Amino acid sequence: MFASLRVAASRRGFATASTVNGFTEAVGNTPLIYLKTLSEQIGSKIYGKAEFQNPGGSVKDRAALGVVRNAEEKGLIKPGGTVVEGTAGNTGIGLAHVCRARGYNCVIYMPNTQSQEKIDLLRMLGADVRPVPAVAYDNPLNYNHQARDYALTLENAIWTDQFDNTANANAHYTSTGPEIWEQMQGDLDGFICATGTGGTLAGVGKYLKEKSGGKTQIWLADPPGSVLTSYIQSGGKLVERTGSSITEGIGQGRVTQNLGTFIDELSGAFTVPDEKSIAMIYQLLHTEGLYLGASSALNVVAAVELAQKLGKGSKVATILCDGAYRYQSRLFSKAWLKSKGLEDAIPLHLKKYAVLD
């Protein structure tokens, strides 16, 4: 019995070959999960990069570490300094972890529309959290501008500027992209994910497109209310942002500098309705045993649709951004789902998972 277990263990391998030094070295090297049931249903192969297994719990650990390391390398911050950011949640959580690990103070400005779980976690991690009204980017009171302005008032402080600091995209070009390429053994037809800052899509997309010689198609998935699909499909015309989505941290009303490094090389884009994202949250829990947030579910819906566009037998990868525990008071609440008009989006046999009132 134990001999067979040893063989199985050796086949699986390990995320890292040795011990790592602290939180920051534990970031990355996440598994790429084959989504078996979904794949068999459509006759293609869907893979999800398990970014919820990063030590801070999300894909944003990579960007957080990347922008802080970049500032250190440039001599912009010294020990004991302060890191300031405007974030809808997960980047702030990643930064709070990194700041604790590297000896910095952390101040987070965020829209007051974010889940209480995220706000509470940031405070537990020692961050100074400042929720502010959610206003458009061109409003001087936008949370990003307030973060920038506050950092300017401090000595030995940086505003990490996650949306337009291309150290974000570079972190994915040098880590996430190479990991996916190696895990897929260089055989990947498509990659797709939603974008907030644009760092993940731009960094991963650039690397995969270069390594595949253009064979791997790179697509953008959008939530409702974002303008990026229309921008790409219209050949570069920005429209005013309208509507909203239940997803957090993704969708945009502008082209960030991170996304701008790659947007002209995208193969295409499409929008995923909230109804499909909600249904996929429950489907992934039921069939794959994965407890994921709405942005991860949107990405999987998009990966399935891209695989169907590319044809039977295609291989498509996406990002599983974070777990559902940061949003469970909403996503698994019957009252909240009803308030959003989404209770009927969940198939009848899966409603048993909506256990909160």
Side-chain angles (χ1 to χ4, degrees), residues 212-258:
S212 69
K215 172 183 173 292
T216 303
Q217 292 193 23
I218 313 298
W219 286 63
L220 181 149
D222 240 0
S226 178
V227 305
L228 297 177
T229 292
S230 65
Y231 178 89
I232 292 162
Q233 293 179 347
S234 68
K237 295 179 182 177
L238 269 180
V239 296
E240 187 173 345
R241 191 170 187 173
T242 59
S244 62
S245 171
I246 55 95
T247 58
E248 296 185 21
I250 57 174
Q252 260 298 345
R254 67 186 181 97
V255 177
T256 65
Q257 289 188 34
N258 278 291

Short mmCIF file of all heavy atoms in Angstrom, two decimals, residues 212-258:
data_model
loop_
_atom_site.label_atom_id
_atom_site.label_comp_id
_atom_site.label_asym_id
_atom_site.label_seq_id
_atom_site.Cartn_x
_atom_site.Cartn_y
_atom_site.Cartn_z
N SER A 212 4.97 31.10 -27.74
CA SER A 212 4.26 30.26 -28.70
C SER A 212 4.43 30.72 -30.14
O SER A 212 3.91 30.09 -31.06
CB SER A 212 2.76 30.22 -28.37
OG SER A 212 2.16 31.49 -28.61
N GLY A 213 5.13 31.81 -30.32
CA GLY A 213 5.28 32.37 -31.66
C GLY A 213 3.95 32.85 -32.22
O GLY A 213 3.73 32.83 -33.44
N GLY A 214 3.05 33.28 -31.32
CA GLY A 214 1.75 33.78 -31.74
C GLY A 214 0.67 32.73 -31.83
O GLY A 214 -0.49 33.05 -32.09
N LYS A 215 1.02 31.46 -31.58
CA LYS A 215 0.03 30.38 -31.68
C LYS A 215 -1.05 30.48 -30.59
O LYS A 215 -2.23 30.23 -30.85
CB LYS A 215 0.73 29.03 -31.59
CG LYS A 215 -0.21 27.84 -31.50
CD LYS A 215 0.55 26.53 -31.34
CE LYS A 215 -0.39 25.35 -31.09
NZ LYS A 215 -1.07 25.40 -29.78
N THR A 216 -0.63 30.82 -29.38
CA THR A 216 -1.58 30.91 -28.27
C THR A 216 -2.39 32.21 -28.37
O THR A 216 -1.81 33.29 -28.34
CB THR A 216 -0.85 30.86 -26.92
OG1 THR A 216 -0.08 29.66 -26.83
CG2 THR A 216 -1.85 30.90 -25.76
N GLN A 217 -3.69 32.08 -28.52
CA GLN A 217 -4.55 33.27 -28.58
C GLN A 217 -4.77 33.82 -27.17
O GLN A 217 -4.98 33.06 -26.22
CB GLN A 217 -5.90 32.93 -29.21
CG GLN A 217 -5.81 32.60 -30.69
CD GLN A 217 -7.18 32.59 -31.35
OE1 GLN A 217 -8.14 33.21 -30.88
NE2 GLN A 217 -7.28 31.88 -32.47
N ILE A 218 -4.74 35.14 -27.04
CA ILE A 218 -4.93 35.80 -25.75
C ILE A 218 -6.19 36.66 -25.84
O ILE A 218 -6.27 37.58 -26.66
CB ILE A 218 -3.72 36.67 -25.36
CG1 ILE A 218 -2.40 35.91 -25.56
CG2 ILE A 218 -3.88 37.18 -23.94
CD1 ILE A 218 -2.24 34.66 -24.71
N TRP A 219 -7.16 36.36 -24.97
CA TRP A 219 -8.45 37.05 -24.98
C TRP A 219 -8.71 37.73 -23.64
O TRP A 219 -8.22 37.29 -22.60
CB TRP A 219 -9.59 36.07 -25.27
CG TRP A 219 -9.66 35.63 -26.71
CD1 TRP A 219 -8.72 34.93 -27.41
CD2 TRP A 219 -10.75 35.85 -27.61
NE1 TRP A 219 -9.14 34.70 -28.69
CE2 TRP A 219 -10.39 35.24 -28.85
CE3 TRP A 219 -11.98 36.47 -27.50
CZ2 TRP A 219 -11.24 35.26 -29.95
CZ3 TRP A 219 -12.83 36.49 -28.61
CH2 TRP A 219 -12.45 35.89 -29.82
N LEU A 220 -9.53 38.77 -23.69
CA LEU A 220 -9.97 39.48 -22.49
C LEU A 220 -11.43 39.15 -22.20
O LEU A 220 -12.25 39.17 -23.11
CB LEU A 220 -9.79 40.98 -22.67
CG LEU A 220 -10.17 41.91 -21.51
CD1 LEU A 220 -9.28 43.16 -21.52
CD2 LEU A 220 -11.64 42.35 -21.58
N ALA A 221 -11.74 38.86 -20.93
CA ALA A 221 -13.11 38.64 -20.50
C ALA A 221 -13.54 39.82 -19.63
O ALA A 221 -12.78 40.27 -18.77
CB ALA A 221 -13.23 37.34 -19.71
N ASP A 222 -14.74 40.32 -19.85
CA ASP A 222 -15.22 41.51 -19.17
C ASP A 222 -16.47 41.23 -18.34
O ASP A 222 -17.34 40.46 -18.79
CB ASP A 222 -15.59 42.58 -20.21
CG ASP A 222 -14.79 43.86 -20.08
OD1 ASP A 222 -13.93 43.95 -19.19
OD2 ASP A 222 -15.04 44.78 -20.88
N PRO A 223 -16.60 41.85 -17.18
CA PRO A 223 -17.88 41.83 -16.49
C PRO A 223 -18.80 42.91 -17.04
O PRO A 223 -18.33 43.83 -17.72
CB PRO A 223 -17.49 42.13 -15.03
CG PRO A 223 -16.31 43.05 -15.18
CD PRO A 223 -15.57 42.57 -16.42
N PRO A 224 -20.09 42.85 -16.74
CA PRO A 224 -20.99 43.93 -17.15
C PRO A 224 -20.52 45.27 -16.56
O PRO A 224 -19.96 45.30 -15.46
CB PRO A 224 -22.34 43.52 -16.55
CG PRO A 224 -22.24 42.04 -16.38
CD PRO A 224 -20.80 41.76 -16.05
N GLY A 225 -20.71 46.35 -17.30
CA GLY A 225 -20.33 47.67 -16.82
C GLY A 225 -18.94 48.10 -17.22
O GLY A 225 -18.60 49.28 -17.11
N SER A 226 -18.11 47.17 -17.68
CA SER A 226 -16.76 47.51 -18.13
C SER A 226 -16.78 47.93 -19.59
O SER A 226 -17.61 47.45 -20.37
CB SER A 226 -15.83 46.32 -17.94
OG SER A 226 -14.52 46.61 -18.40
N VAL A 227 -15.86 48.80 -19.99
CA VAL A 227 -15.86 49.32 -21.36
C VAL A 227 -14.84 48.62 -22.26
O VAL A 227 -14.74 48.94 -23.44
CB VAL A 227 -15.56 50.84 -21.36
CG1 VAL A 227 -16.53 51.58 -20.47
CG2 VAL A 227 -14.11 51.12 -20.94
N LEU A 228 -14.09 47.67 -21.72
CA LEU A 228 -12.95 47.14 -22.48
C LEU A 228 -13.36 46.30 -23.68
O LEU A 228 -12.71 46.35 -24.72
CB LEU A 228 -12.02 46.36 -21.55
CG LEU A 228 -11.38 47.20 -20.44
CD1 LEU A 228 -10.54 46.33 -19.52
CD2 LEU A 228 -10.53 48.34 -21.04
N THR A 229 -14.42 45.51 -23.54
CA THR A 229 -14.87 44.73 -24.70
C THR A 229 -15.24 45.65 -25.86
O THR A 229 -14.83 45.43 -27.01
CB THR A 229 -16.07 43.84 -24.32
OG1 THR A 229 -15.63 42.83 -23.41
CG2 THR A 229 -16.66 43.17 -25.55
N SER A 230 -16.01 46.69 -25.58
CA SER A 230 -16.41 47.61 -26.65
C SER A 230 -15.20 48.34 -27.21
O SER A 230 -15.12 48.59 -28.42
CB SER A 230 -17.45 48.61 -26.15
OG SER A 230 -16.91 49.45 -25.15
N TYR A 231 -14.23 48.66 -26.35
CA TYR A 231 -13.01 49.33 -26.81
C TYR A 231 -12.27 48.45 -27.82
O TYR A 231 -11.85 48.92 -28.89
CB TYR A 231 -12.12 49.65 -25.62
CG TYR A 231 -10.80 50.30 -25.98
CD1 TYR A 231 -10.68 51.67 -26.09
CD2 TYR A 231 -9.66 49.53 -26.23
CE1 TYR A 231 -9.48 52.27 -26.44
CE2 TYR A 231 -8.46 50.10 -26.57
CZ TYR A 231 -8.36 51.48 -26.67
OH TYR A 231 -7.17 52.06 -27.01
N ILE A 232 -12.12 47.19 -27.49
CA ILE A 232 -11.37 46.28 -28.35
C ILE A 232 -12.14 45.97 -29.63
O ILE A 232 -11.59 45.99 -30.74
CB ILE A 232 -11.03 44.98 -27.58
CG1 ILE A 232 -10.02 45.30 -26.47
CG2 ILE A 232 -10.48 43.91 -28.51
CD1 ILE A 232 -9.93 44.24 -25.40
N GLN A 233 -13.43 45.72 -29.49
CA GLN A 233 -14.23 45.36 -30.67
C GLN A 233 -14.44 46.54 -31.63
O GLN A 233 -14.64 46.33 -32.82
CB GLN A 233 -15.58 44.80 -30.23
CG GLN A 233 -15.47 43.45 -29.52
CD GLN A 233 -16.80 42.90 -29.05
OE1 GLN A 233 -17.81 43.62 -29.04
NE2 GLN A 233 -16.82 41.63 -28.67
N SER A 234 -14.37 47.77 -31.09
CA SER A 234 -14.57 48.96 -31.93
C SER A 234 -13.26 49.48 -32.53
O SER A 234 -13.27 50.46 -33.27
CB SER A 234 -15.23 50.07 -31.12
OG SER A 234 -14.33 50.56 -30.13
N GLY A 235 -12.15 48.84 -32.18
CA GLY A 235 -10.87 49.30 -32.70
C GLY A 235 -10.29 50.48 -31.94
O GLY A 235 -9.47 51.22 -32.46
N GLY A 236 -10.70 50.65 -30.70
CA GLY A 236 -10.07 51.66 -29.86
C GLY A 236 -10.91 52.86 -29.49
O GLY A 236 -10.38 53.93 -29.18
N LYS A 237 -12.24 52.70 -29.48
CA LYS A 237 -13.12 53.81 -29.09
C LYS A 237 -13.60 53.60 -27.66
O LYS A 237 -14.25 52.59 -27.36
CB LYS A 237 -14.31 53.92 -30.03
CG LYS A 237 -13.93 54.28 -31.47
CD LYS A 237 -15.16 54.35 -32.35
CE LYS A 237 -14.78 54.67 -33.80
NZ LYS A 237 -15.98 54.67 -34.69
N LEU A 238 -13.29 54.54 -26.78
CA LEU A 238 -13.75 54.46 -25.40
C LEU A 238 -15.15 55.04 -25.29
O LEU A 238 -15.43 56.12 -25.79
CB LEU A 238 -12.81 55.24 -24.47
CG LEU A 238 -11.63 54.48 -23.85
CD1 LEU A 238 -10.82 55.42 -22.98
CD2 LEU A 238 -12.11 53.29 -23.03
N VAL A 239 -16.03 54.30 -24.62
CA VAL A 239 -17.38 54.80 -24.35
C VAL A 239 -17.52 55.05 -22.86
O VAL A 239 -16.71 54.58 -22.06
CB VAL A 239 -18.45 53.78 -24.82
CG1 VAL A 239 -18.38 53.60 -26.32
CG2 VAL A 239 -18.30 52.46 -24.09
N GLU A 240 -18.53 55.80 -22.50
CA GLU A 240 -18.75 56.07 -21.09
C GLU A 240 -19.20 54.81 -20.37
O GLU A 240 -20.00 54.03 -20.88
CB GLU A 240 -19.81 57.16 -20.91
CG GLU A 240 -19.97 57.63 -19.47
CD GLU A 240 -20.91 58.82 -19.37
OE1 GLU A 240 -21.20 59.44 -20.41
OE2 GLU A 240 -21.34 59.11 -18.25
N ARG A 241 -18.66 54.61 -19.17
CA ARG A 241 -18.98 53.41 -18.42
C ARG A 241 -20.40 53.47 -17.88
O ARG A 241 -20.80 54.45 -17.25
CB ARG A 241 -17.99 53.25 -17.26
CG ARG A 241 -18.04 51.91 -16.56
CD ARG A 241 -16.89 51.76 -15.59
NE ARG A 241 -16.83 50.41 -15.04
CZ ARG A 241 -15.86 49.97 -14.28
NH1 ARG A 241 -14.84 50.76 -13.96
NH2 ARG A 241 -15.87 48.73 -13.82
N THR A 242 -21.17 52.41 -18.13
CA THR A 242 -22.54 52.33 -17.62
C THR A 242 -22.78 50.92 -17.07
O THR A 242 -22.13 49.96 -17.49
CB THR A 242 -23.58 52.61 -18.72
OG1 THR A 242 -23.40 51.66 -19.78
CG2 THR A 242 -23.44 54.02 -19.26
N GLY A 243 -23.70 50.79 -16.13
CA GLY A 243 -24.02 49.49 -15.58
C GLY A 243 -23.03 49.08 -14.50
O GLY A 243 -22.08 49.81 -14.18
N SER A 244 -23.24 47.92 -13.93
CA SER A 244 -22.38 47.43 -12.86
C SER A 244 -22.42 45.91 -12.83
O SER A 244 -23.18 45.28 -13.55
CB SER A 244 -22.85 47.99 -11.51
OG SER A 244 -24.17 47.55 -11.23
N SER A 245 -21.58 45.35 -11.96
CA SER A 245 -21.47 43.90 -11.84
C SER A 245 -21.33 43.51 -10.38
O SER A 245 -20.89 44.32 -9.55
CB SER A 245 -20.24 43.40 -12.62
OG SER A 245 -19.97 42.04 -12.35
N ILE A 246 -21.69 42.28 -10.06
CA ILE A 246 -21.52 41.79 -8.70
C ILE A 246 -20.07 41.36 -8.45
O ILE A 246 -19.68 41.11 -7.31
CB ILE A 246 -22.48 40.63 -8.38
CG1 ILE A 246 -22.34 39.50 -9.39
CG2 ILE A 246 -23.90 41.15 -8.34
CD1 ILE A 246 -21.43 38.38 -9.00
N THR A 247 -19.25 41.26 -9.49
CA THR A 247 -17.85 40.91 -9.31
C THR A 247 -17.10 42.09 -8.70
O THR A 247 -17.50 43.24 -8.82
CB THR A 247 -17.19 40.54 -10.66
OG1 THR A 247 -17.32 41.64 -11.56
CG2 THR A 247 -17.86 39.31 -11.26
N GLU A 248 -15.98 41.78 -8.02
CA GLU A 248 -15.18 42.82 -7.39
C GLU A 248 -13.76 42.81 -7.96
O GLU A 248 -13.18 41.75 -8.20
CB GLU A 248 -15.11 42.61 -5.87
CG GLU A 248 -16.45 42.72 -5.17
CD GLU A 248 -16.34 42.61 -3.65
OE1 GLU A 248 -15.24 42.85 -3.12
OE2 GLU A 248 -17.34 42.30 -3.00
N GLY A 249 -13.21 44.00 -8.18
CA GLY A 249 -11.81 44.11 -8.56
C GLY A 249 -11.51 43.91 -10.03
O GLY A 249 -10.34 43.94 -10.43
N ILE A 250 -12.55 43.69 -10.85
CA ILE A 250 -12.32 43.54 -12.30
C ILE A 250 -13.27 44.47 -13.05
O ILE A 250 -14.24 44.97 -12.50
CB ILE A 250 -12.50 42.09 -12.77
CG1 ILE A 250 -13.90 41.57 -12.40
CG2 ILE A 250 -11.41 41.20 -12.22
CD1 ILE A 250 -14.22 40.19 -12.95
N GLY A 251 -12.97 44.67 -14.33
CA GLY A 251 -13.71 45.64 -15.14
C GLY A 251 -13.04 47.00 -15.06
O GLY A 251 -12.39 47.33 -14.07
N GLN A 252 -13.18 47.78 -16.13
CA GLN A 252 -12.50 49.08 -16.19
C GLN A 252 -13.30 50.07 -17.01
O GLN A 252 -14.09 49.70 -17.88
CB GLN A 252 -11.11 48.93 -16.81
CG GLN A 252 -9.96 48.87 -15.83
CD GLN A 252 -9.83 50.15 -15.00
OE1 GLN A 252 -10.40 51.18 -15.31
NE2 GLN A 252 -9.06 50.07 -13.93
N GLY A 253 -13.05 51.35 -16.73
CA GLY A 253 -13.61 52.42 -17.53
C GLY A 253 -12.57 53.09 -18.39
O GLY A 253 -12.86 54.07 -19.08
N ARG A 254 -11.33 52.57 -18.36
CA ARG A 254 -10.24 53.15 -19.12
C ARG A 254 -9.20 52.07 -19.42
O ARG A 254 -9.26 50.96 -18.88
CB ARG A 254 -9.56 54.28 -18.33
CG ARG A 254 -8.82 53.81 -17.09
CD ARG A 254 -8.30 54.96 -16.24
NE ARG A 254 -7.58 54.48 -15.06
CZ ARG A 254 -6.26 54.36 -14.96
NH1 ARG A 254 -5.49 54.66 -16.02
NH2 ARG A 254 -5.69 53.94 -13.86
N VAL A 255 -8.25 52.41 -20.27
CA VAL A 255 -7.13 51.51 -20.55
C VAL A 255 -5.97 51.91 -19.65
O VAL A 255 -5.39 52.98 -19.80
CB VAL A 255 -6.71 51.58 -22.04
CG1 VAL A 255 -5.49 50.69 -22.28
CG2 VAL A 255 -7.86 51.17 -22.94
N THR A 256 -5.65 51.06 -18.68
CA THR A 256 -4.54 51.35 -17.77
C THR A 256 -3.21 51.21 -18.52
O THR A 256 -3.14 50.60 -19.59
CB THR A 256 -4.54 50.38 -16.60
OG1 THR A 256 -4.27 49.05 -17.10
CG2 THR A 256 -5.88 50.39 -15.87
N GLN A 257 -2.15 51.73 -17.93
CA GLN A 257 -0.84 51.60 -18.57
C GLN A 257 -0.38 50.15 -18.58
O GLN A 257 0.32 49.72 -19.50
CB GLN A 257 0.18 52.51 -17.87
CG GLN A 257 -0.06 53.98 -18.16
CD GLN A 257 1.05 54.88 -17.63
OE1 GLN A 257 2.21 54.51 -17.61
NE2 GLN A 257 0.66 56.07 -17.20
N ASN A 258 -0.76 49.37 -17.56
CA ASN A 258 -0.42 47.94 -17.60
C ASN A 258 -1.08 47.26 -18.79
O ASN A 258 -0.42 46.59 -19.58
CB ASN A 258 -0.86 47.26 -16.29
CG ASN A 258 0.14 47.44 -15.17
OD1 ASN A 258 1.24 46.90 -15.20
ND2 ASN A 258 -0.24 48.23 -14.17
#
